[in-house]
Amino acid sequence: MSMCREERMTAELEKDLWSRITVVTNRKLAVRPFLDQIEILCQKGPERILLREKDLNLPEYEKLAVEVKEICDRYQVPFYCHTYREAAVKAGTQGLQLPLSVLRETGRGSLDKKWNLGCSVHSLEEAQEAECLGADYVIAGHIFATDCKKGLPPRGLDFLEQICRSVSLPVYAIGGIRLEQDQIKKTLAAGARGVCIMSGAMKFQP
């Protein structure tokens, strides 16, 4: 096999891998100015950028959402807000990620029908409830050990596989997932539509 063909296959594999990754942001972990890091990640073509940033109040979050959305639009990467539906309206986001507790309160009917609506779940029962409440997909975790959940044992791939078998929604795995081909492939093999990566994305160096 020629080197050019090997390089082409490697590039195609990397592109396919990134297309299954949801970047979950945490500006405090970014290895460079946050918006610069977002632009570098957008260049890799992830499935979406999900602006988490739970410590920001609504005006701060709205401002950042508009800035991140502008970058995502330049690279045609879908942009999703987390929790703040007001910011999702202002930024013109393609989707919204909600904690299950918030989805229970708001219901699907009060949200923009055009949004791809995600819900964060931590058990099979929660995943099934999110489906009944009208979620379009769920993010399930935590799958592997992670510093974000120190002291809490991971739920593992068997847990993920059970959820994937039990709901008709796309399931995305989160928690301890690295920018590592073998680990991501194992996670997808358990039935996940894609994976969510925070630390590895915020620390990514091209």
Side-chain angles (χ1 to χ4, degrees):
M1 186 184 296
S2 70
M3 183 59 68
C4 288
R5 187 180 177 192
E6 285 181 354
E7 291 174 352
R8 189 162 57 248
M9 288 179 67
T10 299
E12 288 173 356
L13 182 62
E14 182 185 25
K15 183 178 179 181
D16 180 65
L17 203 63
W18 275 98
S19 73
R20 309 294 288 273
I21 292 173
T22 292
V23 170
V24 181
T25 74
N26 184 337
R27 68 194 191 287
K28 295 178 180 178
L29 297 178
V31 293
R32 55 178 57 81
F34 180 64
L35 295 179
D36 292 347
Q37 186 70 8
I38 292 297
E39 183 155 13
I40 286 170
L41 291 165
C42 282
Q43 291 170 1
K44 305 304 293 184
E47 183 167 355
R48 64 176 68 86
I49 300 286
L50 174 57
L51 187 68
R52 195 166 178 267
E53 310 308 327
K54 288 185 173 182
D55 63 308
L56 296 180
N57 61 34
L58 177 57
E60 293 169 334
Y61 185 95
E62 284 183 342
K63 180 178 182 297
L64 188 60
V66 170
E67 293 171 338
V68 174
K69 174 68 160 49
E70 288 175 356
I71 297 171
C72 289
D73 285 350
R74 287 205 298 272
Y75 294 93
Q76 297 183 314
V77 174
F79 171 70
Y80 286 41
C81 283
H82 195 295
T83 304
Y84 288 124
R85 56 178 175 170
E86 302 92 341
V89 172
K90 184 171 183 179
T93 183
Q94 289 96 329
L96 178 66
Q97 179 73 23
L98 294 178
L100 180 58
S101 59
V102 176
L103 181 57
R104 285 170 180 155
E105 292 175 5
T106 63
R108 179 66 199 243
S110 64
L111 303 173
D112 192 324
K113 301 298 187 295
K114 298 190 297 292
W115 285 339
N116 192 28
L117 180 64
C119 184
S120 305
V121 300
H122 304 91
S123 70
L124 173 59
E125 293 74 22
E126 288 185 354
Q128 292 171 331
E129 182 181 357
E131 183 172 25
C132 291
L133 290 171
D136 295 308
Y137 69 91
V138 295
I139 292 179
H142 63 292
I143 305 304
F144 302 102
T146 171
D147 288 343
C148 295
K149 305 283 186 181
K150 277 190 175 179
L152 292 177
R155 293 180 170 89
L157 291 175
D158 289 343
F159 162 79
L160 176 64
E161 189 172 354
Q162 183 185 30
I163 288 184
C164 293
R165 288 199 313 263
S166 301
V167 298
S168 60
L169 305 177
V171 178
Y172 292 82
I174 195 169
I177 299 172
R178 304 179 296 276
L179 284 171
E180 181 183 283
Q181 181 178 322
D182 288 345
Q183 188 199 42
I184 292 175
K185 281 186 173 181
K186 288 178 182 177
T187 307
L188 298 178
R193 177 71 61 87
V195 299
C196 301
I197 299 179
M198 179 190 288
S199 297
M202 292 296 96
K203 297 175 181 178
F204 174 69
Q205 301 272 20

